[in-house]
Amino acid sequence: MAKQDQTSMQREDEERMKVEVGTLEQLPKRLGKCVRVGNRELALFRTSDDQVFAVENRCPHRGGDLSQGIVSGEFVFCPLHDWKICLKDGRVQAPDEGCVKTYRAAVKDGLVYVEL
């Protein structure tokens, strides 16, 4: 990779704001949790294998509260109309269409961080 590309990527990483949103213990496995960060409402999920995901807390179909959805593997099912949404990329599974915004989530020393 060219040095200029690396410098540009480093600046992008530095510009992203990492926000602490709680502890891993506060996230029950396979259930969602709603958190507010500024004017954003996020749905946090901890899968059965302890991966943590963060997505906007609004289904693209009818605005369902995704933090109240059922988690299966790396998917959440909207509680209103059962739309299946991938927690990795935010895409709604066919035959439905749409997408939700995803956020990088990380765990360090038991604390959960989300990049905005």
Side-chain angles (χ1 to χ4, degrees), residues 36-106:
R36 291 190 79 62
V37 179
N39 63 351
R40 294 181 177 116
E41 189 172 287
L42 307 179
L44 299 178
F45 300 96
R46 178 180 174 189
T47 61
S48 57
D49 62 355
D50 287 330
Q51 292 184 75
V52 176
F53 294 95
V55 299
E56 68 179 299
N57 192 30
R58 186 171 167 82
C59 179
H61 177 228
R62 296 270 174 112
D65 182 343
L66 293 178
S67 70
Q68 299 299 311
I70 296 170
V71 177
S72 177
E74 295 175 344
F75 295 91
V76 62
F77 290 82
C78 178
L80 292 183
H81 299 103
D82 211 31
W83 278 33
K84 184 178 180 182
I85 300 167
C86 180
L87 294 171
K88 281 185 168 184
D89 62 19
R91 291 186 182 146
V92 173
Q93 301 300 293
D96 302 313
E97 296 178 354
C99 192
V100 297
K101 183 168 177 63
T102 61
Y103 299 87
R104 281 191 205 170

Side-chain angles (χ1 to χ4, degrees), residues 9-34:
M9 287 175 61
Q10 287 173 342
R11 275 195 218 118
E12 285 180 26
D13 285 341
E14 290 170 3
E15 291 175 12
R16 287 189 188 119
M17 182 173 63
K18 291 182 183 177
V19 178
E20 181 184 326
V21 292
T23 67
L24 187 60
E25 288 180 2
Q26 292 172 325
L27 290 177
K29 290 185 179 188
R30 299 182 57 207
L31 296 176
K33 179 178 181 179
C34 177

